[in-house]
Amino acid sequence: MKKILALVLAMVMCLTVLAACGKKEDPNATEINPWGLSDDGAILGSGSGSDYMPGDMPLGGGLSGVNFTDPSQYHDPAIAAEAAATLRTLYFKYNSYDIQSAEEAIIQGAAAFMKKYPKLALRCEGHCDERGTEEYNMALGSHRAGAVRGYLINLGVPSERIDQISYGESLPAVQGRTEEAYAKNRRVAFKIGDM
């Protein structure tokens, strides 16, 4: 029995060491729960008016068959011009998916735009800077997109018209390892498509 316990303990220690070797470390990073949940399962970081719950569409989109495009590239020039002016990128603080008060007007404008064009679908794309593990950044990007999606739903945009997806750190808007570059990569961008 002692040999089995010793073997199990040795295996657990080896797995712990192997798991630690695969992580990217950032000496300036602060540890937060990568799934945005407290010990009792409550969501950390209110998301400013969002009723988003993890699992609502955690990493990938839910609107199949919609061809999403950059708002400025939409096939109707009048809608494209309005969308490009209205559906601006939102930015987030480091390690956060809380919607900043300065960004709320962008979401309110997006909600008004979506109500004006009821045949359009909207995709919220969550992004992160490169700090943290890939898994962590995928989850954080999902929470950012979900917070924006939840806010839009609270403003009356039907949930079946809003998609969300996380790209984590994989599609940076700006290359570089400066705080200015990181700040531009912590974002939610919008895409539109026909329902």
Side-chain angles (χ1 to χ4, degrees), residues 126-129 134 137-138 166-172 175 187:
H127 301 271
C128 300
D129 64 38
E134 288 181 36
N137 287 335
M138 286 298 288
S166 174
Y167 290 108
E169 64 190 71
S170 66
L171 297 174
Q175 297 295 324
R187 69 198 192 280

Side-chain angles (χ1 to χ4, degrees), residues 66 74 114-122 161 193-195:
V66 176
Y74 187 69
M114 291 301 291
K115 289 176 184 177
K116 182 176 178 180
Y117 298 103
K119 301 280 188 200
L120 289 181
L122 182 72
R161 293 179 53 214
D194 295 314
M195 292 286 293

Side-chain angles (χ1 to χ4, degrees), residues 134-191:
E134 288 181 36
E135 296 83 8
Y136 177 90
N137 287 335
M138 286 298 288
L140 183 57
S142 180
H143 285 307
R144 287 175 175 164
V148 173
R149 180 177 182 265
Y151 199 119
L152 288 163
I153 292 167
N154 285 345
L155 292 174
V157 180
S159 62
E160 61 271 9
R161 293 179 53 214
I162 311 170
D163 192 38
Q164 76 179 63
I165 193 165
S166 174
Y167 290 108
E169 64 190 71
S170 66
L171 297 174
V174 177
Q175 297 295 324
R177 292 185 168 177
T178 64
E179 185 50 44
E180 293 78 23
Y182 290 149
K184 292 291 185 186
N185 292 328
R186 298 188 303 260
R187 69 198 192 280
V188 167
F190 295 113
K191 298 280 174 73

Side-chain angles (χ1 to χ4, degrees), residues 19-69:
C21 290
K23 291 185 177 180
K24 293 188 292 183
E25 293 298 328
D26 179 2
N28 299 319
T30 50
E31 186 67 31
I32 66 169
N33 182 324
W35 306 110
L37 301 176
S38 68
D39 291 336
D40 64 356
I43 298 174
L44 300 173
S46 65
S48 298
S50 169
D51 62 357
Y52 165 72
M53 293 295 294
D56 275 1
M57 277 200 266
L59 299 176
L63 289 176
S64 61
V66 176
N67 184 21
F68 288 100
T69 186

